[in-house]
Amino acid sequence: MVRLIRRDAVQLVLTSAALLFTELLVLRWIPANVIYIGFFANYLLMASFLGIGLGILFGRRYATPGLSPFPGLLLVVVGLVNQQKLDVQFKASNEIFFGLAESHSADANFVVLPLMFVIVTALLAALALPLGALLRSQPPLRAYALDIGGSIAGILLFAVLSAFSLPPVTWFALLAILFGALSLRRPMGLRTAVNASLMLVAVIVVAVGSSRSGDLWSPYYRITVRESPGADTHIMVNGIPHQAIHQVTAEQPAGDPFYEQIYRWFPDRSFSRALIVGAGSGTDVAYA
């Protein structure tokens, strides 16, 4: 099994899969936790493309280091996102403020974007370093086919995880497994143990952060539900207030008048069946 994984063709497929998987992980996880970056997600996409390109170029010119910088950089990203969440200020329900107001807690956001751009570029470049030599190890068309096949596999793998609403700790655990398979290319030793330890620490940090937050992960967003006794339940999407669940009873109708508008238009009609488009948090359904 190990001999099969060490083959250049297999390593090429695994490296391409790991690269696309990591790119999607970065694009999904960082903006979901750092609100400011969520408005500039294309910068992370550009950083990923730049990092992969630089990694291939450096990998063709220089030998791949035995101690990969990828696990250390991944741990830095995880630490920054989990421990230094730089959120925005909410002065009103319809206003989001990023800093330079009475409170300066969010002013550091203006450093976050370039910092994350540099780190994500370095992260993807570190993972792409072996790709330069691996692409040259095969005939051009075969190398290109294996590269594309591995990339599609990485995309499909992350898509399946998202479709089942699995939490980020699962994403990072699978990334650690992919990186472990790539590490088998070299003989086991101290460097391999160090890389494995750093990957394990990164997974643990993500797991601890997820358990504390109690967030739900839909196929698209990080969802936070805040319940207050005697008040409406509020839903946050990627850290931003999104919807409220109103308590609806016969004695206490919904708080917002537009929920009753359809019944004002047809006061003498009763409806045994109703089609609700965009039910949202369910208040429309409860009112119907």
Side-chain angles (χ1 to χ4, degrees), residues 152-237:
I152 294 175
I155 294 171
L156 290 176
L157 178 59
F158 193 87
V160 169
L161 298 182
S162 298
F164 283 95
S165 300
L166 295 175
V169 63
T170 309
W171 313 348
F172 281 87
L174 279 178
L175 177 58
I177 293 174
L178 283 173
F179 184 79
L182 294 175
S183 300
L184 292 177
R185 182 177 177 83
R186 295 176 178 273
M188 303 290 287
L190 178 61
R191 295 174 179 178
T192 307
V194 171
N195 285 337
S197 300
L198 292 174
M199 292 295 294
L200 180 61
V201 172
V203 174
I204 292 174
V205 172
V206 172
V208 172
S210 299
S211 63
R212 289 176 180 174
S213 63
D215 295 328
L216 305 173
W217 289 82
S218 78
Y220 306 100
Y221 304 110
R222 174 177 68 95
I223 300 174
T224 307
V225 180
R226 293 183 178 176
E227 299 181 2
S228 302
D232 292 335
T233 299
H234 292 275
I235 300 173
M236 311 275 286
V237 175

Side-chain angles (χ1 to χ4, degrees), residues 22 25-26 29-30 67-84 115-116 119-120 122-124 126-127 172 175-176 179 193-209:
T22 304
L25 184 152
V26 165
W29 186 68
I30 294 178
L67 182 62
S68 173
F70 177 78
L73 289 169
L74 183 66
L75 186 58
V76 170
V77 172
V78 169
L80 285 175
V81 172
N82 266 356
Q83 306 301 325
Q84 304 293 331
L115 178 62
M116 280 298 177
I119 293 178
V120 169
L123 180 72
L124 270 296
L127 188 58
F172 281 87
L175 177 58
F179 184 79
V194 171
N195 285 337
S197 300
L198 292 174
M199 292 295 294
L200 180 61
V201 172
V203 174
I204 292 174
V205 172
V206 172
V208 172

Side-chain angles (χ1 to χ4, degrees), residues 54-94:
L54 290 176
I56 293 174
L57 290 176
F58 279 108
R60 285 182 174 181
R61 180 169 297 184
Y62 305 104
T64 304
L67 182 62
S68 173
F70 177 78
L73 289 169
L74 183 66
L75 186 58
V76 170
V77 172
V78 169
L80 285 175
V81 172
N82 266 356
Q83 306 301 325
Q84 304 293 331
K85 289 185 179 180
L86 301 172
D87 293 335
V88 297
Q89 304 171 30
F90 299 99
K91 303 177 106 180
S93 60
N94 61 347

